Amino acid sequence: MKELVISEVKNETAILVGLITSNQDESKTKEYLDELEFLADTAGAVTVKRYTQRVTGPNSVSYVGKGKLEEIKQYIKDCEENEEPIAMVIFDDELSAKQMRNIENELQVKILDRTSLILDIFAMRAQTANAKTQVELAQNRYMLPRLQRLWTHLERQGGGSGSGAGGGKGSVGLRGPGETQLEMDRRIILQRITLLKQRLEEIDKQKTTQRKNRGQMIRVALVGYTNVGKSTIMNMLAKSDVFAENKLFATLDTTVRKVVIENLPFLLADTVGFIRKLPTDLVDSFKSTLDEVREADILLHIVDISHPDFEEQIQVVENTLKDLDCSEKPSMIIFNKIDNYHWLDKEPDDLTPETKENITLDELKKTWMARLNDNCLFISAKEKENVDEFRAILYNKVRELHVQKYPYNDFLYPKID
């Protein structure tokens, strides 16, 4: 497991590497690397250099071309000579075992890809037995196809010239010690995966029972990209103290709170944030967490409107919800952080086309409200802007569903006009 999890990463320095391709232009690559740097910062690493390369696609052997890899190697060597050693190189896509092994042999520093970095952050953030089990399952699934690179030094010692009986291919006597150890590790990991799956099945049963015992209340789930302010909104509505921080994946475990607006009680769930290139194994492992999304009656899609790429983040979340078969649920987009939204005024004599950086907040509101038929709202949870309107709209949406789903269930209190 030590090969995967970064330990004691504070003040470790990192180089980031990304590709510019026909499907990902230079500006998009910059945005991805900005996010990768935020991920590295969340994990405790300091980014000191970025490298990009314009190619048709990732090199199957070394991700980047030979020349670019040599350039990175020289920079690492120069830093070493200046007594400013580079601790790791982080790649913005998932690397195959072959790519990781070749890059590591060439650069001689710790190599991480986007997936292993996200898994490391999840391991840091996991607090409950449920979250820890889910993270460990995802780590083992990630590690399984990459075991071979851990034993290349033993394979070289074995040399494939064993002296045991039988000279045929695959004979016991011809196996190097690395291959034997590899088989043992593979068995251990497969057994561990089976055990973790069984634990999660038990957790799923417990959570299903808990959900059934929650009574006749509408369930509302906060969904959205990571670090958009879901936990802050949870605290605001539920008057709770859910951990909120300006870091990616501050919340891993789903938190459910009972909320009462006027005379109407309902359940509010804060869920793990989504992210671009979210590892499939992570989504599978966090099934029990995402069940809160699947079983919700209403989804509140929280968006950080101050983020320059918020529209793509919306698409990422919508695609993930589609994968979870939740795209048809009643939902509403809540544009958060309007207090942090900025735009650039164009000079009167500037005749260049207007870009998204020149759009005012009022123009943005009109655009989205026209597109979504008023099924959106602009707030600042931090500064409490438009919070009363938010509560009123949420009350009406929950009440409408409550009457349909539980027609004979009285509200908590008679409404006071």
Side-chain angles (χ1 to χ4, degrees), residues 222-267:
L222 300 171
V223 299
Y225 210 77
T226 182
N227 202 44
V228 294
K230 295 190 300 298
S231 296
T232 303
I233 290 174
M234 176 78 162
N235 291 335
M236 177 188 72
L237 290 173
K239 298 177 182 176
S240 59
D241 55 355
V242 175
F243 181 65
E245 184 186 16
N246 187 31
K247 295 281 186 181
L248 300 179
F249 304 115
T251 301
L252 280 193
D253 289 290
T254 298
T255 305
V256 181
R257 294 283 186 271
K258 181 179 177 180
V259 177
V260 180
I261 298 180
E262 298 199 35
N263 64 326
L264 180 61
F266 61 92
L267 295 171

Side-chain angles (χ1 to χ4, degrees), residues 283-309:
V283 175
D284 292 342
S285 299
F286 273 72
K287 175 185 174 298
S288 61
T289 299
L290 296 170
D291 274 346
E292 291 291 348
V293 178
R294 290 190 182 95
E295 298 195 16
D297 299 296
I298 302 173
L299 300 179
L300 295 182
H301 181 172
I302 312 302
V303 177
D304 176 3
I305 198 170
S306 67
H307 194 284
D309 203 27

Side-chain angles (χ1 to χ4, degrees), residues 122-223:
F122 270 52
M124 290 167 55
R125 296 294 191 188
Q127 298 295 322
T128 66
N130 184 19
K132 289 176 181 178
T133 303
Q134 292 174 119
V135 172
E136 188 180 347
L137 177 58
Q139 286 179 320
N140 277 281
R141 282 174 163 168
Y142 173 85
M143 187 180 293
L144 188 60
R146 293 168 176 80
L147 276 176
Q148 189 175 357
R149 78 182 184 94
L150 307 185
W151 297 105
T152 50
H153 62 294
L154 291 177
E155 287 172 359
R156 285 195 294 271
Q157 290 174 16
S161 57
S163 57
K169 185 177 180 181
S171 299
V172 174
L174 291 179
R175 293 178 185 167
E179 187 176 356
T180 305
Q181 184 66 55
L182 178 63
E183 290 172 351
M184 288 173 59
D185 281 2
R186 191 181 299 278
R187 253 194 319 272
I188 291 169
I189 287 186
L190 286 171
Q191 289 170 355
R192 188 67 181 165
I193 287 174
T194 300
L195 177 62
L196 292 168
K197 284 181 177 178
Q198 289 172 351
R199 283 187 189 172
L200 287 177
E201 285 176 6
E202 293 170 5
I203 291 170
D204 282 348
K205 289 177 183 176
Q206 293 170 4
K207 286 187 172 290
T208 301
T209 302
Q210 289 172 4
R211 281 190 285 267
K212 286 179 180 177
N213 293 334
R214 285 176 185 168
Q216 295 184 328
M217 284 189 281
I218 293 298
R219 298 172 188 173
V220 180
L222 300 171
V223 299

Side-chain angles (χ1 to χ4, degrees), residues 19-26 29 54-57:
L19 297 179
I20 302 168
T21 66
S22 56
N23 298 323
Q24 186 174 297
D25 61 21
E26 189 171 354
T29 298
R54 194 180 298 274
V55 291
T56 55

Side-chain angles (χ1 to χ4, degrees), residues 35 114 118 122 222-228 230 248-249 251 271-278 283 286 289-290 293 299 301 313-322 324 326:
E35 187 170 84
R114 188 182 182 94
I118 291 173
F122 270 52
L222 300 171
V223 299
Y225 210 77
T226 182
N227 202 44
V228 294
K230 295 190 300 298
L248 300 179
F249 304 115
T251 301
T271 61
V272 62
F274 302 139
I275 196 169
R276 288 176 285 210
K277 304 180 184 179
L278 187 67
V283 175
F286 273 72
T289 299
L290 296 170
V293 178
L299 300 179
H301 181 172
Q313 292 186 351
I314 290 175
Q315 193 60 52
V316 169
V317 174
E318 288 180 347
N319 289 342
T320 307
L321 291 174
K322 189 175 181 181
L324 295 171
C326 296

